């Protein structure tokens, strides 16, 4: 069955960088885009961007331009999300999810990131 | 960028009642690219509806989606105890994707 397994919780200091991984299993990695979504405590879902595993093209939300990089490693079927210059407002649960057309059927379990001095 | 506005923010209803949730877009959205999700505390979102009105695998038939253009609706015909949750719409447009801010369906 399709699974997305994310890396574990992280605690970061302001100004640091973050890297979250999302390992895909149960399907051909190149078949679905991977999108990243975050959710601050008690808040709604916020779309961050997506990557096409086939070729590696990306599309980022304007809000994160300049400090967000998405990459993938097709040899291990893993997508990565790197966010730099962290602020306390970046404290959130980060999710990866597949995207096929106009739907996201499969989601990772979420990675809690806490930014605190 | 397209902005999605969901209403109401909170819906207080009793089990067995009908729930009607609205998602309004700032510009026209293709039906093919409008989805609805359910999220319960501590869980990842779950896809309920895609293509504005197609139920995802495993979605009970008490959930239905409708709408076109800028106005979309998620209807839960008779609320079951497990349906009390937060619901989000999402559009996958050419100008980047976006989520609505969510509607919480709570027990009255």
């Amino acid at each position: 069955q399709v699974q997305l397994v994310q890396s574990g919780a992280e605690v970061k200091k302001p100004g640091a960088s973050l890297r979250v991984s999302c390992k895909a299993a149960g399907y051909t990695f190149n078949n679905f885009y991977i999108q990243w979504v975050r959710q601050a405590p008690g808040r709604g879902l916020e779309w961050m961007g997506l990557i096409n595993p086939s070729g590696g093209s990306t599309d980022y939300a304007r809000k994160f331009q300049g400090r967000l990089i998405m990459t993938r490693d097709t040899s291990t079927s893993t997508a990565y999300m790197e966010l730099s210059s962290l602020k306390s407002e970046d404290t959130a649960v980060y999710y990866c999810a597949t995207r096929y057309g106009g739907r996201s059927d499969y989601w990772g379990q979420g990675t809690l990131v806490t930014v605190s001095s | 960028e397209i902005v999605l506005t969901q209403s109401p923010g909170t819906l207080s209803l009793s089990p067995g009642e009908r729930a009607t949730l609205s998602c309004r877009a700032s510009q026209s959205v293709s039906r093919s690219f409008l989805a609805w999700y359910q999220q319960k505390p501590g869980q990842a979102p779950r896809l309920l509806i895609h293509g504005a009105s197609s139920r995802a695998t495993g979605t009970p038939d008490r959930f239905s989606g409708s709408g076109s253009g800028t106005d979309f609706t998620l209807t839960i015909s008779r609320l079951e105890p497990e349906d009390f949750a937060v619901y989000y719409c999402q559009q996958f447009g050419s100008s980047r994707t976006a989520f609505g801010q969510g509607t919480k369906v709570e027990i009255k």
Side-chain angles (χ1 to χ4, degrees):
Chain A
Q1 73 280 23
V2 174
Q3 274 193 307
L4 298 176
V5 179
Q6 298 182 223
S7 48
E10 305 238 27
V11 179
K12 294 290 185 180
K13 294 201 181 300
S17 294
L18 165 71
R19 190 193 204 203
V20 179
S21 67
C22 171
K23 184 171 176 59
Y27 71 98
T28 301
F29 186 53
N30 285 358
N31 282 0
F32 300 142
Y33 287 31
I34 296 287
Q35 67 173 354
W36 289 88
V37 175
R38 75 178 186 179
Q39 186 169 38
R43 306 294 296 273
L45 302 174
E46 181 176 31
W47 185 77
M48 300 181 69
L50 62 78
I51 183 167
N52 180 355
S54 177
S57 62
T58 56
D59 185 18
Y60 303 144
R62 192 167 293 149
K63 173 178 179 177
F64 300 102
Q65 296 274 355
R67 67 183 189 109
L68 175 62
I69 298 174
M70 294 179 183
T71 58
R72 91 291 186 223
D73 181 342
T74 55
S75 69
T76 60
S77 298
T78 302
Y80 298 93
M81 185 278 297
E82 297 183 51
L83 188 63
S84 60
S85 303
L86 290 171
K87 302 167 260 193
S88 59
E89 307 90 271
D90 294 316
T91 293
V93 176
Y94 289 76
Y95 293 102
C96 62
T98 60
R99 176 190 164 176
Y100 179 72
R103 57 197 289 178
S104 285
D105 293 79
Y106 306 103
W107 293 68
Q109 82 276 18
T111 296
L112 176 61
V113 174
T114 303
V115 182
S116 174
S117 55
Chain B
E1 291 187 355
I2 295 177
V3 175
L4 298 180
T5 302
Q6 292 187 240
S7 61
T10 302
L11 204 47
S12 298
L13 295 168
S14 300
E17 289 194 291
R18 181 184 187 89
T20 303
L21 288 66
S22 172
C23 175
R24 179 161 291 178
S26 59
Q27 18 181 320
S28 186
V29 171
S30 168
R31 282 178 54 89
S32 299
F33 293 105
L34 194 287
W36 289 92
Y37 301 86
Q38 177 192 68
Q39 188 181 34
K40 296 180 180 179
Q43 296 183 16
R46 169 196 168 199
L47 177 68
L48 289 178
I49 300 285
H50 62 92
S53 59
S54 297
R55 279 186 289 274
T57 302
T59 301
D61 60 10
R62 63 182 180 272
F63 290 90
S64 63
S66 63
S68 63
T70 59
D71 289 301
F72 297 88
T73 301
L74 175 69
T75 302
I76 311 171
S77 58
R78 287 178 57 85
L79 283 163
E80 296 288 340
E82 61 268 28
D83 299 336
F84 292 93
V86 181
Y87 294 84
Y88 295 93
C89 56
Q90 182 186 19
Q91 71 84 19
F92 297 81
S94 57
S95 57
R96 303 192 177 91
T97 192
F99 287 95
Q101 81 278 20
T103 291
K104 181 179 182 180
V105 179
E106 65 176 22
I107 299 176
K108 186 174 181 180

